[in-house]
Amino acid sequence: MTIQETLSQHIKVAFSKLYQAELNTVEFQSTRKEFEGDITVVTFPMLRVVKMNPAQLGEDLGKYLVEHVDEVKAYNVVKGFLNIVIDDVFYLNFFNSIKDDNSYGFKPQSEKAIMVEYSSPNTNKPLHLGHIRNNLLGYSVAEILKAAGHKVYKTQIINDRGIHICKSMLAWERYGNGETPKSTGLKGDKLVGNYYVKFDQEYKKEITDLVAQGTPEEDAKKQAPILLEAQDMLRKWEAGDKDVVALWKTMNGWVYEGFETTYKNLGVDFDCYYYESDTYLLGKEFIAEGLKSGVFFKKEDGSVWCDLTEDGLDEKIVLRADGTAVYMTQDIGTAIQRIKDYPDVEGMVYTVGNEQDYHFKVLFLILKKLGFDWAKNLYHLSYGMVDLPSGKMKSREGTVVDADDLIVEMSNTAKELSQELGKLDDYNDQEKQTIYNTIGLGALKYFILKVDPKKRILFDPKESVDFQGNTGPFIQYTYARIQAILRKADFDTSITQSLSDTSLHEKEKELIKQLELFPEVIQNAAQNHSPALIANYTYNLVKEFNSFYQNVSILGADNQNEKVFRVQLSQAVANTIKNAFGLLGIDVPERM
RNA sequence: GGUGGCAUAGCUCAGCUGGAUAGAGCACCUGCCUUCUAAGCAGGCGGUCCUAGGUUCGAAUCCUAGUGCCAUCACCA
C-alpha cells in the first residue's frame, strides 16, 4: 500500500468519526518546497461534504492523522492546504525495499502483446532527421510498453511497391553503368537515392524540352518519355517480368542493407518485417469480403468505396476501378496479416507522422466495421514534423538533414568537447570513440524525445543540440560521476542496514521521494505513449541528485552507516537513470 | 471552406486527473574547483500562460467564440 492510500483510508475514517460524513476521494499533491511537509491534502473539495472553514478542517484532520497514523510525524495548515510531514523511517524502509531491485519500476510481462510499428521508410530515399524522430519514438514507446508489463513486437512496413520504385530502377538502368554499393563504396540506400534524384532531374529536363517544342506543360508532365518508361516498368513488375523483378530485388537489397546500417548506428531494432508487396493482396481479399457483407459498396466504374459519412467522415476509396490496390488496401491487409501471424497481439501502435491522422482514423474505423475486435486497440502514435530554420525538409531540394551524417556529426561534437576536457586521456582510441558515440547519440536522442510527440520540433543543426543543461549528456555525466564514486567505495554496498535511528538529510529525502515516483511515471508514459514523460522525470531526478552531490559529501560522510547509505542511494539513482535512459534507447557511459 | 493539431520568459521546452507566489534549460549577470569528475552547484535578471467571454471557492489547465501557424480533405504512398 502506498502512503497515499494509507492516508486516504484514515482520512475517510476520520470523516465519519469527526463529522459523521462520507468522503469518496481525497486529493493529494506533493508539498511545494517552500512549505514544510512531504504530502499535501487539499481540503477544498471536502467542503462539499461538510460545510466548514477549510483551515479548521485541515487542523482537525492533521491532528487526527498525527494521533492515528504512525508514519505521520507532524502537520501544518496553510490556507486550506494540509501539509503532512512523513516520518523518515517510512522513507528509509521504502528505500531498503527497492535498493537491490535492478528492475525497480518495471512490471513483469503479461501474455497480452502489443505490436509497435515504426520507421516504415520509402525505399527510394535515405533516412533523414524526420525518420530519426520516428525511429526514436517508436523504439522508445515499445520499450516503455514492455516496462509497463506488455509483451511487445517491434515491426515495420516496408514500402517496396509502386511507381516510385521503378523510377530509381529506370534511372539506374539508363545511367548507372552497372554501379553497385561495392564498386562505389556508397551505402546502398544512398546509391539508390541518388538515382531517384537523377530520375527527377531527367524528368524535369524532358518536360522542359517538350515545353520548348510547344507541348503544354500539363501534357508534357504526362508524356515525358522517361515517365512513360517507368510506368511501363511498373506494369512489367506487376506482371512478374523476370528481369524487372530481379532488378527490383537487387536494388531493394542494397537499400535494406543501407537501412540496417543506419538502424544499427541509431540503436534501434525490429522483431519482424512486413513488405507492402506481400500484404496488398490480402487486403484485396478482405475488400471482397467486406463488399459481400455490405461494409463496402461498388460504384458504377467498378471502384470500391467505404461510406463513412455517418461517422462524420467522407467516402473513402479502397480499391481502384481497375482492381488495383491503394494505400488503404494494403494497410488493411497488413493489419490482418499481423494478427494472423501473431495471435497473441491484442493491439497495435502505428508510429506515423501527424499528416496521416486522417488516414489512420479511417483505417481504424474500417477495421472496426469489418468486425475485428482488436480494432478497438489500435493507436496512431502521431507526431509533429521536424522543421529546419529554412522550413520544411524536402529530399529533392537537398534541404534534408541526413540521418547518417547527423549521427557522425553528433559524435564529432562530443569528441571535440571531450578532448577539451581531457578526462579520457588514458583510454585507447577505440574506447574513446565508443564513448563519443554514446554521448553524441545521447544528446541527439534526448533532444528529440524530451519534446511531447505531438508537438513539432524546430531543429537548428548548428545550435539545437546542446551538451549542457537539460540534455542527454548532462544526465549521462551524472551517471558517470556516480560510477566514479562506486569505484572508489571500497566496502560492501549490498548490505541492508537497520536505519531506524538515522535521520535523513533534506536532499536524501528528496531523492527517495523522486525514486518513489518512477513506477508511476512508467505507467503514465505507457498510457500516454510519451517518452517525454520519462525524459522529464529523469531530468528531475538528476537535478535532485546533482544538488545532493554538491551539497553533501558522500564518501566523506560522518560515520560508516551514513556513508554506506549515501553510496547505496547514489547507486539506486544511477540504476534508475540507466533504466530510464534504456527506455529512451540511450546508453550511459561509465566515464566521460 | 470543412476537419484535426499547436500557441506558456528573448530562444528551446515542462506544467499529471482544475489547486498555494506559473517552472526548467539556453542566453545575459554574480559567486563556487589544494575536498567524491565544474558537461556541475548556488543565486540574479526575465512572463497581459494568443485574445475575449463563460463554468468554479479556485482556470495556463475545462467550455464557447475569435486570431495566428501547421497538417489534412488524392483512384500518391
Side-chain angles (χ1 to χ4, degrees):
Chain A
M1 191 154 53
T2 67
I3 186 75
Q4 292 201 356
E5 284 161 356
T6 309
L7 290 174
S8 186
Q9 272 185 10
H10 280 93
I11 290 172
K12 285 175 189 172
V13 172
F15 246 72
S16 60
K17 274 193 194 165
L18 298 174
Y19 316 117
Q20 293 78 46
E22 193 181 335
L23 191 65
N24 290 322
T25 54
V26 182
E27 194 177 324
F28 293 99
Q29 53 185 287
S30 53
T31 306
R32 293 178 71 107
K33 288 208 169 150
E34 58 266 38
F35 301 106
E36 197 201 351
D38 302 301
I39 296 177
T40 295
V41 175
V42 187
T43 62
F44 299 105
M46 300 172 178
L47 302 180
R48 296 198 185 102
V49 182
V50 275
K51 282 194 180 161
M52 61 187 290
N53 177 336
Q56 185 57 47
L57 178 60
E59 283 292 333
D60 290 356
L61 288 177
K63 209 170 159 192
Y64 179 91
L65 290 175
V66 171
E67 280 168 13
H68 292 80
V69 185
D70 292 343
E71 290 89 343
V72 176
K73 206 166 127 192
Y75 74 93
N76 62 82
V77 181
V78 183
K79 288 194 257 175
F81 291 92
L82 169 60
N83 302 321
I84 297 169
V85 182
I86 303 297
D87 200 309
D88 286 354
V89 175
F90 169 80
Y91 289 110
L92 286 163
N93 286 337
F94 167 75
F95 176 72
N96 272 333
S97 75
I98 63 151
K99 74 177 176 59
D100 300 317
D101 182 359
N102 280 328
S103 55
Y104 167 63
F106 289 40
K107 273 199 175 172
Q109 202 178 83
S110 75
E111 294 302 305
K112 296 180 197 168
I114 295 179
M115 192 169 265
V116 179
E117 174 192 299
Y118 67 99
S119 197
S120 305
N122 181 320
T123 54
N124 265 323
K125 300 170 190 168
L127 304 172
H128 59 66
L129 184 52
H131 297 109
I132 289 186
R133 187 175 197 191
N134 181 302
N135 279 266
L136 298 180
L137 271 174
Y139 178 86
S140 178
V141 166
E143 293 302 313
I144 289 168
L145 288 171
K146 274 190 214 171
H150 298 280
K151 185 175 180 183
V152 171
Y153 297 106
K154 289 178 260 193
T155 189
Q156 58 170 313
I157 177 81
I158 297 163
N159 180 3
D160 63 347
R161 188 186 72 91
I163 184 81
H164 54 287
I165 309 289
C166 295
K167 290 179 180 175
S168 47
M169 283 160 62
L170 183 60
W172 183 84
E173 261 190 353
R174 277 202 188 181
Y175 312 104
N177 297 318
E179 272 188 9
T180 65
K182 248 188 198 159
S183 76
T184 57
L186 276 176
K187 270 180 83 220
D189 54 325
K190 297 281 162 61
L191 181 71
V192 172
N194 288 346
Y195 284 103
Y196 187 60
V197 172
K198 179 74 180 166
F199 174 93
D200 205 54
Q201 288 166 349
E202 291 301 319
Y203 177 51
K204 278 188 179 142
K205 212 184 282 173
E206 290 188 1
I207 293 173
T208 317
D209 289 350
L210 285 171
V211 171
Q213 289 163 23
T215 315
E217 196 177 336
E218 281 306 302
D219 296 339
K221 280 184 181 169
K222 287 176 190 159
Q223 290 168 9
I226 196 167
L227 179 68
L228 296 179
E229 208 175 320
Q231 285 169 342
D232 186 50
M233 198 177 230
L234 177 63
R235 276 188 288 274
K236 282 183 181 163
W237 180 87
E238 290 196 348
D241 181 287
K242 262 190 223 155
D243 291 342
V244 173
V245 170
L247 178 62
W248 172 75
K249 279 191 177 158
T250 306
M251 288 183 73
N252 274 348
W254 294 345
V255 174
Y256 300 154
E257 212 175 313
F259 282 171
E260 282 308 316
T261 306
T262 306
Y263 292 144
K264 199 172 160 230
N265 289 338
L266 200 55
V268 301
D269 54 20
F270 301 91
D271 300 307
C272 52
Y273 295 77
Y274 284 85
Y275 299 87
E276 205 186 305
S277 55
D278 290 336
T279 60
Y280 76 104
L281 292 174
L282 183 67
K284 282 179 162 184
E285 278 177 34
F286 276 85
I287 301 297
E289 263 184 43
L291 201 52
K292 269 186 234 160
S293 63
V295 175
F296 306 124
F297 68 94
K298 203 174 239 179
K299 287 199 176 173
E300 284 165 14
D301 65 355
S303 57
V304 180
W305 296 71
C306 187
D307 184 2
L308 300 166
T309 47
E310 278 181 19
D311 302 281
L313 304 172
D314 295 326
E315 289 181 351
K316 187 79 190 175
I317 190 161
V318 291
L319 208 59
R320 292 191 188 104
D322 62 4
T324 55
V326 293
Y327 183 30
M328 191 59 74
T329 323
Q330 62 98 359
D331 263 0
I332 293 170
T334 308
I336 296 168
Q337 185 66 50
R338 284 174 176 164
I339 300 288
K340 277 190 179 173
D341 294 343
Y342 298 89
D344 54 345
V345 168
E346 297 197 340
M348 292 193 247
V349 173
Y350 291 85
T351 313
V352 183
N354 64 7
E355 72 272 16
Q356 298 202 35
D357 285 354
Y358 185 73
H359 172 76
F360 282 99
K361 221 180 198 174
V362 172
L363 173 65
F364 297 167
L365 201 54
I366 289 179
L367 287 167
K368 262 180 217 163
K369 283 182 184 285
L370 285 171
F372 298 106
D373 59 328
W374 43 263
K376 64 180 189 294
N377 296 324
L378 300 177
Y379 181 80
H380 175 203
L381 172 51
S382 161
Y383 61 89
M385 297 283 101
V386 182
D387 287 326
L388 301 175
S390 55
K392 206 175 172 178
M393 281 190 279
K394 287 178 183 150
S395 328
R396 286 178 193 170
E397 291 170 23
T399 56
V400 289
V401 176
D402 179 79
D404 299 310
D405 294 349
L406 182 59
I407 293 170
V408 172
E409 261 174 56
M410 292 306 301
S411 58
N412 284 344
T413 310
K415 182 176 178 179
E416 280 167 33
L417 264 162
S418 181
Q419 282 177 341
E420 259 174 54
L421 297 169
K423 292 179 187 176
L424 300 173
D425 292 346
D426 57 317
Y427 273 24
N428 69 38
D429 286 350
Q430 201 193 336
E431 287 168 329
K432 281 183 193 165
Q433 191 55 46
T434 307
I435 294 178
Y436 302 151
N437 290 344
T438 301
I439 298 171
L441 262 183
L444 176 62
K445 290 182 176 184
Y446 187 86
F447 177 80
I448 288 176
L449 289 175
K450 77 173 178 191
V451 182
D452 185 333
K454 65 175 180 287
K455 290 195 178 173
R456 48 197 304 133
I457 291 182
L458 183 71
F459 187 88
D460 186 332
K462 293 201 173 58
E463 295 171 15
S464 276
V465 181
D466 219 321
F467 289 73
Q468 273 151 23
N470 186 359
T471 66
F474 167 80
I475 292 167
Q476 290 172 322
Y477 177 67
T478 304
Y479 179 84
R481 284 209 298 204
I482 296 176
Q483 296 313 306
I485 291 175
L486 296 178
R487 280 191 294 271
K488 282 185 187 166
D490 52 352
F491 46 81
D492 183 9
T493 57
S494 66
I495 55 167
T496 296
Q497 304 194 96
S498 158
L499 298 158
S500 51
D501 54 349
T502 325
S503 80
L504 283 171
H505 187 280
E506 182 201 343
K507 302 277 180 194
E508 296 168 340
K509 188 158 148 184
E510 285 306 317
L511 270 179
I512 297 176
K513 279 199 238 175
Q514 203 63 41
L515 289 173
E516 201 186 356
L517 293 175
F518 191 44
E520 196 185 321
V521 170
I522 291 179
Q523 293 303 322
N524 221 315
Q527 257 169 37
N528 291 297
H529 301 87
S530 175
L533 297 177
I534 301 286
N536 288 319
Y537 166 77
T538 315
Y539 177 64
N540 289 333
L541 175 68
V542 163
K543 277 221 76 158
E544 205 65 65
F545 181 82
N546 280 335
S547 179
F548 166 69
Y549 177 91
Q550 300 276 357
N551 285 290
V552 175
S553 182
I554 296 167
L555 292 173
D558 292 341
N559 60 64
Q560 185 68 13
N561 275 9
E562 205 158 72
K563 188 156 77 169
V564 172
F565 169 67
R566 285 179 183 171
V567 170
Q568 287 177 336
L569 185 56
S570 305
Q571 196 167 29
V573 169
N575 195 35
T576 303
I577 293 173
K578 189 176 186 172
N579 286 338
F581 258 34
L583 297 179
L584 302 179
I586 305 177
D587 274 338
V588 283
E590 297 302 301
R591 280 179 54 184
M592 69 184 272

